Amino acid sequence: MACLKEFFLENCSMKKKFPAFWVFIILGFFSTGILLSIVNPTKAAETMGVKIMEKELLGKFLADSQGLSLYSFSKDDKNASNCIEGCAVNWPPFYIAPSAVIEGCESSDFTSITRPDGRQQTAYKGMPLYYFKNDKYPGDTFGHGIGDVWFLVVP
C-alpha cells in the first residue's frame, strides 16, 4: 500500500519495473472501452426489446429484455390506451424504440401509439402494452387476471 501512495515518487521500487507511462496507457484503454460501451447505440438497442418467456401453468408470454412481464388491458381500444392517470401509476406503459430487438416475434406486430398524455407506448398487434407495478423480478406475473381485465400478452 505504501508503494501505491508513493507510486509517483522516486522512492517506489515498483516505479522502475512498471513506469507511469504504462499505467496511463492501461487506464486510457479501459476508460475508452467503458465509454464506448456506454455510448454505443447498437448495444443500447440490443438491451431494450421484447422476448418470449414461459411459465408452467401460464404458458408463453411477452416480457421486456430484462424478463419483466408485459400485460394488456381488455378495456383498451385497438391502438388507443384507456389506462390513464391513476391507472397508469399501477400499470406503467411500456415503450421501446421501433429499432429495438424483438426475440421470437415478428417486429411488424409492434407499433408505437401516442397516449392521451402525449407519451409514446408500444402496442402489440394494436393492443397497448403495460408493466404491473408489483412485478419486481424477471418472470413475476402477479398482474395476470387482475379484475378479469389485465392479462399477460400471449405471442
Side-chain angles (χ1 to χ4, degrees), residues 49-50 63-64 70 92-96 110 120-123 129-131:
V50 175
D64 73 0
L70 297 173
F94 170 72
Y95 177 75
I96 55 169
F110 293 86
Q120 294 292 301
Q121 184 171 4
T122 299
L129 298 175
Y130 302 88
Y131 291 111

Side-chain angles (χ1 to χ4, degrees), residues 18-97:
F18 202 61
F21 170 78
W22 289 108
V23 171
F24 291 118
I25 296 296
I26 291 170
L27 288 174
F29 176 76
F30 284 117
S31 64
T32 301
I34 291 168
L35 286 174
L36 286 176
S37 68
I38 291 171
V39 296
N40 185 343
T42 304
K43 191 69 173 168
E46 290 174 2
T47 60
M48 305 228 7
V50 175
K51 63 182 178 179
I52 297 175
M53 293 192 54
E54 189 168 3
K55 199 169 189 180
E56 194 173 328
L57 302 178
L58 291 175
K60 294 181 179 182
F61 58 94
L62 296 183
D64 73 0
S65 64
Q66 304 300 310
L68 293 176
S69 302
L70 297 173
Y71 298 89
S72 64
F73 182 42
S74 63
K75 294 185 178 184
D76 278 344
D77 296 318
K78 189 170 185 172
N79 294 314
S81 172
N82 292 317
C83 179
I84 55 174
E85 298 173 2
C87 176
V89 172
N90 293 320
W91 301 92
F94 170 72
Y95 177 75
I96 55 169

Side-chain angles (χ1 to χ4, degrees), residues 2 5 7 11-12 15 23 26 54 76 81 99 107-108 124 130 138 140 147:
K5 289 180 182 176
F7 186 77
N11 296 348
C12 182
K15 185 176 179 189
V23 171
I26 291 170
E54 189 168 3
D76 278 344
S81 172
S99 62
S107 55
S108 61
Y124 176 69
Y130 302 88
D140 281 355

